[in-house]
Amino acid sequence: MRAALWLLGLFAVAVALALFAGDSQGTVTVFWPPYRVDLSVNLALLLLALVFGLLYAALRGFGALLQLPRQARNWRAQQRERATHALLLEAMTQYNAGRFLRARKAAEAAQAREQALAGSGASPPHASSLRVLLRLAVAESAHALQDRATREQQFSLALAALEPGGGAPELREGVLLRAARWALDDRDPAGALARLQEMPAGAHHRTAALRIRLKAARQTGRLAEAMETARLLAKHRAFSPDVARSLVRGLAVDLIQSAHDPVQLQQVWAALDASERAMPELALRAAQRMADLDGDAAVVRQWLRPVWEQMLALPEAFDDIDRARLARALQAGMAAADDDQWLARIEAVSQANPRSATLQYLAGMACMHRKLWGRAQLLLTQAARVLPDAGLRRHAWRALAELAEQRGDEAEAARAWKQAAQD
């Protein structure tokens, strides 16, 4: 299409010249004593165009001749700049390949070429950013080689080159993030957090910064801060749902275990989200910790009620270990305080599920605390033989031994104590 338009334009020009120049009767006379030259207007115009073209070409050629030294300098600077970029790429390639010494040498060679460019006054527009990246490359290689002195020196030089007006803000944030990661590798979480504090406020909520903050908080034992950071990372989808759930659960367990008194434990439990308090493992851990701290048994039963209802609704979601933990937690609550509602609830559920040894055990212990000795002996005898958890079996045999001693049956008590010792 473009060629057809050009062809039409040429035809239009040819037609215009034929119409306006073909019948031209004008004459141009040039007097140059003792000569006289008569020219047609068309020829005079053509000669003027040729003269203009020659003069223009001569001026352009003269200008190009004057520009040759400058072009030569630009070409040499361009070659040095390309060589610097090539060395930077080689340093990055060698670093990613695990050849840290070669990467450091390539980055240092690129630094020397960049300094030569700056000395000759032929620095590229992005010279500041290039300088910072080269120093960061040297620092990365030095960190991999455990050369902390060189790493800190190059880091300081990189920060000095990033004064106001000396590079993009994102480049400064990247340098500080790298320094924070180096501090974590050196087991210096306080230094990592200090580097993060030097970043702008908006950069603190980026995924990379949050990951560093999480690791630093865990290393320093600041579990509450680590928990909040893990929630933010899960919200930003920095982890898969399963990994995020496992991470949050692990931090919550650490928080629960770090509680030193019942009041602190209740504060930790109240600080958890509703979804976290609904996790059976956390509820069981909190209940066990409250029992270890001699806390309120009513609070324990309140925490365990959602887990109990969840186990009844979805029994396949609980394995033998979870059932055993729930049984121990409920048993501790029975021993600490009497709750007829809970005891009746356990006994009713055990009657509805006669094949569940764990429920039979709980019902037997409930009857024992309500002083229903006969019913307790029957349920505990049935459960003691088939309980999957060794600890619960020992408790069952010990309870049977105590019941036998109350009846004065020394032979049965001795047999029960023997079974408890064997388990």
Side-chain angles (χ1 to χ4, degrees):
M1 178 61 70
R2 184 176 298 178
L5 292 176
W6 274 106
L7 186 60
L8 291 175
L10 288 177
F11 276 115
V13 171
V15 171
L17 289 175
L19 290 175
F20 296 104
D23 296 334
S24 178
Q25 302 297 326
T27 302
V28 176
T29 302
V30 179
F31 294 93
W32 190 281
Y35 303 103
R36 172 183 172 177
V37 180
D38 294 326
L39 300 172
S40 66
V41 174
N42 295 339
L43 181 58
L45 293 175
L46 181 60
L47 289 175
L48 285 176
L50 290 175
V51 170
F52 176 78
L54 290 174
L55 288 175
Y56 179 76
L59 291 176
R60 289 293 301 269
F62 184 70
L65 182 63
L66 294 178
Q67 291 292 328
L68 282 178
R70 181 180 176 182
Q71 291 180 0
R73 288 194 301 269
N74 291 340
W75 181 84
R76 288 192 295 269
Q78 187 180 40
Q79 293 301 112
R80 289 195 292 267
E81 183 180 345
R82 288 180 177 177
T84 303
H85 290 161
L87 286 171
L88 176 58
L89 290 175
E90 181 183 356
M92 296 174 62
T93 303
Q94 298 292 350
Y95 180 84
N96 291 329
R99 298 177 175 178
F100 305 121
L101 186 58
R102 294 186 183 183
R104 177 175 173 177
K105 290 181 179 179
E108 289 175 345
Q111 273 189 332
R113 288 185 176 272
E114 189 276 330
Q115 292 173 0
L117 274 174
S120 64
S123 297
H126 58 282
S128 177
S129 298
L130 178 62
R131 189 176 303 116
V132 172
L133 289 176
L134 290 173
R135 287 170 179 169
L136 188 61
V138 176
E140 285 281 10
S141 302
H143 174 70
L145 294 170
Q146 299 297 317
D147 188 354
R148 297 184 180 178
T150 302
R151 184 194 71 189
E152 294 302 322
Q153 178 188 11
Q154 293 296 324
F155 170 71
S156 301
L157 291 174
L159 279 186
L162 285 170
E163 294 300 328
E170 294 81 3
L171 191 57
R172 178 181 178 84
E173 295 168 10
V175 173
L176 291 174
L177 279 176
R178 293 307 307 167
R181 290 193 182 97
W182 298 336
L184 283 181
D185 293 341
D186 294 340
R187 310 299 294 179
D188 182 16
L193 293 174
R195 294 303 182 192
L196 291 180
Q197 290 298 325
E198 298 179 27
M199 298 175 62
H204 292 170
H205 297 286
R206 295 176 186 169
T207 301
L210 289 175
R211 287 179 181 271
I212 295 175
R213 184 178 298 277
L214 173 62
K215 294 179 181 179
R218 295 185 73 177
Q219 288 183 12
T220 54
R222 298 158 67 174
L223 298 177
E225 182 179 353
M227 188 72 175
E228 185 64 28
T229 306
R231 290 169 180 162
L232 286 175
L233 284 170
K235 182 179 179 181
H236 293 173
R237 298 183 180 180
F239 308 110
S240 65
D242 293 339
V243 173
R245 180 182 176 87
S246 176
L247 177 61
V248 171
R249 183 171 60 244
L251 289 171
V253 169
D254 293 339
L255 275 172
I256 290 171
Q257 295 299 328
S258 66
H260 300 295
D261 55 69
V263 176
Q264 184 181 5
L265 181 57
Q266 291 184 17
Q267 293 175 351
V268 170
W269 184 257
L272 297 179
D273 294 340
S275 60
E276 296 164 357
R277 291 195 294 268
M279 295 181 182
E281 182 178 354
L282 295 185
L284 292 173
R285 294 271 186 167
Q288 184 63 45
R289 185 61 179 167
M290 182 65 79
D292 296 340
L293 296 173
D294 297 328
D296 188 358
V299 175
V300 173
R301 290 192 293 271
Q302 181 182 357
W303 292 349
L304 291 178
R305 183 165 184 177
V307 182
W308 173 265
E309 294 175 352
Q310 186 176 353
M311 186 185 72
L312 297 180
L314 299 172
E316 66 278 0
F318 288 74
D319 55 14
D320 293 336
I321 297 177
D322 292 334
R323 294 191 185 94
R325 288 179 179 174
L326 179 59
R328 291 192 188 94
L330 290 175
Q331 179 185 349
M334 294 176 195
D338 208 9
D339 189 337
D340 292 338
Q341 184 178 3
W342 258 103
L343 299 179
R345 184 183 297 116
I346 292 173
E347 188 174 3
V349 172
S350 66
Q351 291 176 0
N353 299 273
R355 295 185 179 180
S356 177
T358 304
L359 292 177
Q360 296 296 320
Y361 167 79
L362 280 175
M365 297 301 295
C367 292
M368 184 174 177
H369 286 286
R370 296 175 71 180
K371 298 182 180 181
L372 301 175
W373 312 123
R375 180 67 175 168
Q377 181 181 2
L378 177 62
L379 292 172
L380 290 175
T381 303
Q382 294 175 353
R385 298 188 179 93
V386 293
L387 276 171
D389 185 77
L392 294 183
R393 286 199 305 272
R394 284 194 297 271
H395 283 292
W397 285 116
R398 288 174 58 186
L400 287 173
E402 293 175 0
L403 290 174
E405 289 177 351
Q406 289 180 359
R407 298 193 310 270
D409 191 346
E410 298 296 335
E412 184 64 21
R415 189 180 70 83
W417 283 117
K418 182 178 179 181
Q419 288 290 338
Q422 290 177 351
D423 288 332

